[in-house]
Amino acid sequence: MLRCQPCRSFFALLLLSGSAASSAAATPRTSPPAGLRENTPSTHALKGARLVIAPGKVIERGTLVIRDGVIVAAGAEVTVPPEAREHDCRGKTIYPGFIDALGELSAEASKLGASDKRGAGYWNPKVTPQVDAATCYGIDAESNEKLRSQGITARIEAPSAGIIKGTSALVSTADASGGLAILKPRVALHLMLTPSRGDDLYPKSPMGAMALVRQAFYDARWYADVWQAYEMQPGLPRPERNDALAALQAAAAGKMPVVVRTPDELYSLRAHLLAKEFELTVILEGSGREYRRVEALKATGLPVILPLDFPKAPRVVTPETAMSVSLEDLLHWDLAPENPGRLSAAGIKIAFTTHGLSDAGEFLAAVRKTVDRGLSPEAALAALTTTPAELLGVGDRLGTLEAGKIASFVVADGDLFDDRTKLSETWVDGERHELQPAPLADLRGTWEVQLAKPDGGTETLTIQLGDESNKLTGKIKRGEQEVALTRASLDAAQFSAQFPAKSLGWEGVLQLSGTISIPPQGEPPAEQPPSWLGFLVWSGGERSPCSARRAAAYDEKQKKQQEEAAPSKDENAAGEEKPPDKTSKTKTALYSVNFPLGAFGVFGPPEQPKAVLFQHATVWTCGPAGVVENASVLVREGKITAVGADIDIPADAVLIEAEGKHLTPGIIDCHTHIATDGGINEMGQTITAEVRIGDFIDPNDVQIYRQLAGGVTAANVLHGSANTIGGQNQVIKLRWGALPEELKFSGAPPGIKFALGENVKQSNWGPGTRYPQSRLGVEQVVADAFNAAIDYRRRWNEWREEPTGLPPRTDLELEALVEVLEGKRFIHCHSYRQDEILAFLRTCEQFGVRVRTLQHVLEGYKVADAIARHGAGGSSFSDWWGYKFEVYDAIPYNGAMLHRAGVLTSFNSDDAELARRLNLEAAKAVKYGGLSPEAALHFVTINPAKQLGIDRRVGSLEAGKDADLVVWSGSPLSSYARCEQTWIDGRKYYPGT
């Protein structure tokens, strides 16, 4: 058990004290000494170690010299200063100290900082960038000790409360005073795109959190501009002072990193969009699931701080427990340890953190696991040292063993990424912390013991001592007989051992005890071996004197051979031991990554043939050609090029024989809530026009896959109906396996959700405080919002014409409403009762606003003429009602009556399950209302396409439109018909391959 052996000469220490005091200045401090001034030697030389200067840069045998907590030299030919305290580190490896790239203040400290009411804060209490972790940090000695045991010498401490939480500090893991513990204040701004829990304040949804963050950064820009204008133009009204917006300036200007928490890989892509919009320097706080979208993450160019809380093996030991484990869970368990290696191989910068681990003491073992699973040792060391130092702006102080850097490093007894290697010391700011205090002597080796027996004779015994897991082990021999020691230990200078003596020809259990004789100071143990004097205690209690000397040194090669031959304790999912992998050290996952991960994932988009010909089908064009028997549809590169009975078969076409089958346009759902991540309602305010469904599209939603099986190819994903004016909608194509931005229907006109009735006034929510609480209030909220948008537009128009005075502030809520006023954003309004419908249409007409669709509109048949005159469409249920009081007057003839009154009508699902059968919902317009089958099919194809403003691209089978189409086994309005194929953009998404 070789250790770094410090010089123990008391007189030498006294000499070095005076020399150090005279040759080097101690760290300057403002506080006076509490007693006598200390002159502890501050110059150290660690000699003979293997020095890992930086990842990929190694000196096999060198010396590291530090003075006053700073590295002054590191190399093979280093002159040791005469005042240095020397440490023999032969057989050791020294690494730069590790940096924990992310940690959080305690909840109490964060809450204290966020709740400070002094100064001028932001209007929303969840935005607190002015909270500075350096002013809230308190030393946690227990945590520091645990981190040092893992080689961590510095860590980030960030506020944990709020959405924009505040700025972090880089702190030392030494138990120094607070002033010395702070290595760098205001390192980075930390934020998350999810709502904080435990209150009813806005925002209450991820899309609300994103909108709030965006608004705060727009406000930070405005704050800088408005104060600049005020200072340059005397006589202007004084702007408000805001500590939060002032604190945001550095991050908003790209001069301070912004660490964004990403609960999964989709949040990483959202953080990238935020970074692009505001030109932020973003660092991702990873989730450990980035491997699911490595290429997309690589394209962002953003670095990632990775947690190492790998999942434990799922319990699948019985059929019952196995049933509760999904394929996705099993795949994640298998793939998660490869996450760092896959990201590093893709060229993505990574840094490691203990954050997320239930026990920080498991950190180094987790790092080693990443190396076992494909991460190169150099990349792993960089993730612990140089990369976090660079990302956190301290690369000139930490991360390598170079002169001028802080003397924070780790001493190990072997290669860092070998499971058998132990860390013996962690030096922090030049202060030594022994993790496993060095014994007074290394007792490993072969010992000859001279025993004085009770009968007066002498006998020679042989003891062989080694170590395992840093504990003494061994055996004792008497002639040709031997037995293993059941216990062996060294406590200070006292050696003791115990063994059963029967196999040696004696009785009972015997004990050995001896006092070690320490070699003279300055002579390494290998040159002057220790000896000991003591007793052997017989089973009857008698004692026999004995003495021992080491006859041979311990053979390290023999130890490693024995350990390598030992069986592996790695466990598989069933909890059984398995033999070590003898073919390769690096293990790999059992299966490849699909998208989305799990049972229905794919490995990429379906192939898009250059040409596809669907022939001999009954084609429901939903266009001017109507229904064409025995017809063909030709598709080239995702577009329909011809529809008719006589189409020449191109030589390069893929032929789809559809004789006896029916071909229709893809079904379009005008009202759905699938594929949203984190909820569909931002209920924190009655107007949330600033939130965007498009920010939180979820391509992993299995409902996309299921609805493809029902022929749905496009859908209008709407905000919920909890608000008078809700969030902005997103039209998508159901491209299963695509990224969020790839799902979006490019060129679809933007829209927004309005709502009327019981949901808005919170009829079933119990006692409420949010305005409005009545239908009268709902109408007034809409009118007031439109008036505010008019004033906002006027102020901006005046500024653009003559930019004098204080610049106007960008308001994301009013920006969306100005688009409504100008007809650039469609209104889709949740509605039921005739009186509310009429009141809403009249209010909109007062402001020159036209409603695009009335959603649900179950009493629309009562006022169909007024709806038609206004020009609004109606997107209704076929026969769904009775679920609350305001829908009691609904009838199944509503759709047909609206249609005959001249209202552009569609049927929607508003339900993930119902969306799989929208063709049958359309058929109900034939049963209830007597519409022709062709007109009824329009309710779920061309009509919703027109309502959403995408009819130039989809909704009918016509030349020039997107090849979004469905092959049915029979008439699409028959309950016996089955969707056999669903194509989007000329790619077959259902059934998949």
Side-chain angles (χ1 to χ4, degrees):
M1 294 185 291
L2 291 174
R3 306 290 181 202
C4 276
Q5 298 294 333
C7 173
R8 292 186 173 85
S9 171
F10 177 70
F11 295 104
L13 287 178
L14 289 177
L15 290 172
L16 289 178
S17 305
S19 177
S22 61
S23 63
T27 303
R29 303 194 185 194
T30 56
S31 58
L36 296 177
R37 287 171 173 79
E38 296 183 4
N39 288 310
T40 304
S42 61
T43 305
H44 300 264
L46 290 82
K47 301 171 59 178
R50 178 174 178 263
L51 301 180
V52 181
I53 304 298
K57 184 179 180 181
V58 180
I59 296 173
E60 290 300 331
R61 187 178 179 86
T63 298
L64 180 70
V65 179
I66 66 173
R67 180 183 292 118
D68 296 328
V70 177
I71 297 173
V72 295
E77 304 294 335
V78 172
T79 301
V80 177
E83 75 275 13
R85 181 180 182 183
E86 297 184 13
H87 304 261
D88 179 15
C89 290
R90 285 176 293 180
K92 301 294 181 179
T93 301
I94 300 179
Y95 294 89
F98 309 152
I99 302 172
D100 185 348
L102 182 68
E104 289 188 337
L105 295 170
S106 66
E108 293 77 13
S110 293
K111 188 176 181 181
L112 179 65
S115 62
D116 190 347
K117 301 300 183 182
R118 294 171 294 181
Y122 195 63
W123 66 269
N124 189 297
K126 297 180 182 179
V127 175
T128 56
Q130 70 275 24
V131 174
D132 184 355
T135 65
C136 305
Y137 170 69
I139 291 174
D140 184 341
E142 183 179 351
S143 176
N144 281 342
E145 182 179 11
K146 180 67 70 70
L147 293 172
R148 290 195 299 265
S149 75
Q150 302 299 297
I152 295 170
T153 59
R155 73 179 190 274
I156 281 291
E157 288 284 357
S160 59
I163 289 176
I164 298 182
K165 299 183 285 187
T167 56
S168 56
L170 184 67
V171 302
S172 161
T173 58
D175 297 327
S177 64
L180 291 175
I182 306 297
L183 299 175
K184 182 182 178 181
R186 294 183 59 79
V187 172
L189 178 72
H190 292 252
L191 63 85
M192 60 184 183
L193 302 176
T194 53
S196 51
R197 297 181 179 179
D199 59 54
D200 291 326
L201 298 175
Y202 170 88
K204 300 174 70 173
S205 69
M207 58 184 169
M210 171 67 91
L212 180 62
V213 169
R214 293 178 63 235
Q215 184 64 68
F217 276 107
Y218 275 115
D219 287 347
R221 288 181 179 178
W222 167 81
Y223 189 75
D225 293 341
V226 76
W227 273 99
Q228 183 181 26
Y230 174 73
E231 291 169 355
M232 294 180 64
Q233 301 178 48
L236 295 180
R238 185 178 71 259
E240 69 171 83
R241 184 178 66 83
N242 192 294
D243 295 334
L245 296 180
L248 274 179
Q249 296 305 308
K255 297 178 180 179
M256 176 186 286
V258 179
V259 178
V260 182
R261 176 175 294 177
T262 58
D264 59 35
E265 72 283 2
L266 299 181
Y267 276 84
S268 299
L269 303 180
R270 293 161 190 152
H272 175 237
L273 295 177
L274 183 70
K276 286 176 61 179
E277 182 176 4
F278 295 98
E279 299 180 341
L280 305 176
T281 303
V282 163
I283 300 171
L284 302 175
E285 178 188 338
S287 64
R289 299 177 183 268
E290 289 75 19
Y291 65 87
R292 303 199 292 192
R293 295 288 187 178
V294 172
E295 289 304 313
L297 190 57
K298 177 182 178 181
T300 69
L302 299 179
V304 190
I305 298 171
L306 291 177
L308 300 176
D309 53 336
F310 304 129
K312 295 181 180 178
R315 291 186 56 81
V316 294
V317 291
T318 67
E320 291 76 14
T321 56
M323 288 178 65
S324 65
V325 180
S326 69
L327 177 60
E328 182 180 350
D329 291 337
L330 287 169
L331 288 171
H332 180 56
W333 162 72
D334 189 29
L335 288 160
E338 293 184 10
N339 188 53
R342 288 173 182 250
L343 296 189
S344 178
I348 299 170
K349 286 185 179 181
I350 61 171
F352 288 147
T353 176
T354 63
H355 194 58
L357 288 172
S358 58
D359 180 3
E362 300 173 354
F363 176 68
L364 190 53
V367 172
R368 288 168 173 167
K369 189 170 187 177
T370 69
V371 175
D372 289 342
R373 295 296 298 272
L375 182 65
S376 72
E378 291 78 13
L381 183 59
L384 292 167
T385 57
T386 53
T387 300
E390 174 192 347
L391 295 179
L392 303 174
V394 291
D396 60 336
R397 301 289 183 88
L398 295 170
T400 64
L401 298 179
E402 296 173 304
K405 299 288 182 76
I406 296 174
S408 292
F409 52 87
V410 181
V411 181
D413 63 8
D415 181 86
L416 178 65
F417 303 108
D418 189 324
D419 290 340
R420 297 166 295 193
T421 295
K422 307 296 180 184
L423 305 186
S424 57
E425 301 174 17
T426 299
W427 291 63
V428 186
D429 294 341
E431 181 182 349
R432 182 187 187 197
H433 299 270
E434 291 186 272
L435 307 178
Q436 299 166 5
L440 292 179
D442 180 7
L443 299 188
R444 297 179 302 170
T446 302
W447 293 76
E448 290 184 355
V449 181
Q450 300 298 321
L451 174 66
K453 297 192 296 183
D455 60 5
T458 61
E459 187 170 352
T460 300
L461 306 177
T462 301
I463 295 178
Q464 292 181 340
L465 292 176
D467 70 347
E468 181 178 345
S469 300
N470 209 40
K471 294 181 179 180
L472 282 174
T473 59
K475 58 186 177 181
I476 185 168
K477 286 186 175 183
R478 183 188 185 199
E480 297 299 320
Q481 299 169 310
E482 67 177 43
V483 66
L485 300 176
T486 57
R487 180 178 61 82
S489 64
L490 177 61
D491 183 7
Q494 196 70 27
F495 168 73
S496 64
Q498 184 174 291
F499 58 93
K502 185 175 181 181
S503 60
L504 302 183
W506 293 324
E507 298 295 329
V509 176
L510 307 188
Q511 292 181 323
L512 269 173
S513 178
T515 302
I516 304 297
S517 175
I518 305 300
Q521 296 292 340
E523 297 188 24
E527 298 175 7
Q528 181 66 37
S531 60
W532 53 267
L533 296 172
F535 297 91
L536 185 146
V537 181
W538 301 92
S539 58
E542 303 89 348
R543 293 187 176 191
S544 294
C546 62
S547 64
R549 68 176 184 85
R550 185 161 54 192
Y554 184 65
D555 187 351
E556 288 281 355
K557 293 182 179 179
Q558 180 181 3
K559 174 191 175 185
K560 290 188 176 180
Q561 289 173 354
Q562 293 172 347
E563 290 178 342
E564 288 172 355
S568 169
K569 295 295 183 179
D570 194 13
E571 293 188 350
N572 59 19
E576 301 170 350
E577 291 187 5
K578 64 180 181 181
D581 182 4
K582 296 297 183 182
T583 59
S584 171
K585 181 180 179 181
T586 301
K587 305 169 188 175
T588 57
L590 297 174
Y591 298 98
S592 300
V593 179
N594 58 4
F595 314 100
L597 189 70
F600 304 103
V602 295
F603 294 98
E607 179 187 0
Q608 185 187 70
K610 289 185 177 180
V612 184
L613 182 67
F614 300 85
Q615 58 181 1
H616 306 138
T618 299
V619 179
W620 300 59
T621 68
C622 293
V627 180
V628 185
E629 301 288 345
N630 193 28
S632 299
V633 176
L634 179 62
V635 174
R636 278 196 176 278
E637 296 181 346
K639 295 288 185 179
I640 298 170
T641 59
V643 180
D646 299 314
I647 299 177
D648 293 334
I649 302 176
D652 59 350
V654 174
L655 294 180
I656 306 294
E657 179 55 56
E659 185 176 1
K661 303 185 187 302
H662 291 242
L663 200 64
T664 71
I667 288 175
I668 300 170
D669 191 351
C670 196
H671 186 137
T672 188
H673 300 296
I674 68 164
T676 55
D677 191 358
I680 60 167
N681 274 299
E682 174 46 67
M683 297 184 289
Q685 298 176 160
T686 191
I687 299 178
T688 55
E690 71 280 3
V691 307
R692 305 184 297 193
I693 288 288
D695 288 335
F696 285 85
I697 290 296
D698 180 12
N700 299 331
D701 188 351
V702 72
Q703 296 300 339
I704 298 173
Y705 179 81
R706 291 171 178 166
Q707 290 181 18
L708 284 167
V712 179
T713 58
N716 182 30
V717 186
L718 284 164
H719 186 276
S721 55
N723 315 72
T724 305
I725 302 177
Q728 303 168 30
N729 65 293
Q730 180 62 57
V731 181
I732 64 171
K733 284 198 177 189
L734 275 60
R735 301 179 178 111
W736 178 242
L739 293 166
E741 294 301 304
E742 295 169 342
L743 284 178
K744 294 179 179 179
F745 196 124
S746 62
I752 189 169
K753 177 73 171 289
F754 279 54
L756 310 172
E758 294 182 7
N759 292 8
V760 178
K761 68 186 189 68
Q762 306 172 346
S763 297
N764 300 315
W765 295 21
T769 58
R770 193 190 74 180
Y771 183 89
Q773 295 283 297
S774 69
R775 287 179 167 84
L776 296 174
V778 170
E779 187 272 337
Q780 284 298 300
V781 166
V782 173
D784 183 72
F786 283 153
N787 280 320
I790 291 171
D791 290 341
Y792 177 80
R793 177 175 58 182
R794 175 177 48 77
R795 178 69 185 97
W796 269 104
N797 288 339
E798 292 172 351
W799 172 263
R800 293 186 182 103
E801 291 176 5
E802 187 177 356
T804 58
L806 298 180
R809 166 180 171 266
T810 296
D811 188 313
L812 295 177
E813 176 185 297
L814 294 177
E815 287 283 329
L817 293 178
V818 167
E819 292 176 343
V820 172
L821 290 173
E822 296 176 349
K824 298 176 181 177
R825 183 172 295 280
F826 294 165
I827 291 178
H828 303 286
C829 185
H830 165 107
S831 58
Y832 291 112
R833 283 177 26 169
Q834 61 172 329
D835 53 349
E836 289 188 309
I837 292 170
L838 289 176
F840 182 65
L841 294 179
R842 291 165 181 165
T843 298
C844 289
E845 288 168 356
Q846 292 175 16
F847 294 93
V849 172
R850 294 292 163 178
V851 177
R852 190 71 178 190
T853 66
L854 293 165
Q855 296 290 319
H856 311 317
V857 65
L858 293 186
E859 289 190 17
Y861 66 93
K862 298 181 179 180
V863 289
D865 55 343
I867 296 173
R869 284 194 302 271
H870 180 87
S875 187
S876 185
F877 296 137
S878 60
D879 58 355
W880 192 6
W881 54 75
Y883 46 89
K884 55 182 173 178
F885 187 78
E886 64 184 352
V887 299
Y888 280 6
D889 278 2
I891 60 175
Y893 301 95
N894 184 52
M897 294 175 70
L898 287 170
H899 170 72
R900 290 195 172 96
V903 177
L904 182 66
T905 305
S906 68
F907 282 162
N908 65 62
S909 72
D910 194 23
D911 178 78
E913 182 67 22
L914 187 64
R916 297 171 55 211
R917 297 180 296 278
L918 277 173
N919 61 312
L920 301 183
E921 293 299 292
K924 292 175 183 177
V926 178
K927 178 178 178 63
Y928 302 108
L931 267 64
S932 69
E934 184 180 355
L937 186 61
H938 287 191
F939 277 24
V940 293
T941 54
I942 189 62
N943 287 6
K946 291 178 179 178
Q947 291 175 340
L948 298 175
I950 56 176
D951 52 303
R952 292 183 180 179
R953 296 264 307 275
V954 293
S956 62
L957 301 181
E958 300 179 74
K961 290 197 173 184
D962 295 355
D964 295 4
L965 44 83
V966 185
V967 178
W968 302 88
S969 62
S971 168
L973 300 185
S974 169
S975 59
Y976 296 101
R978 184 180 67 255
C979 171
E980 294 187 341
Q981 297 180 29
T982 302
W983 293 67
I984 300 175
D985 302 321
R987 302 176 188 269
K988 188 174 72 171
Y989 278 86
Y990 175 82
T993 56

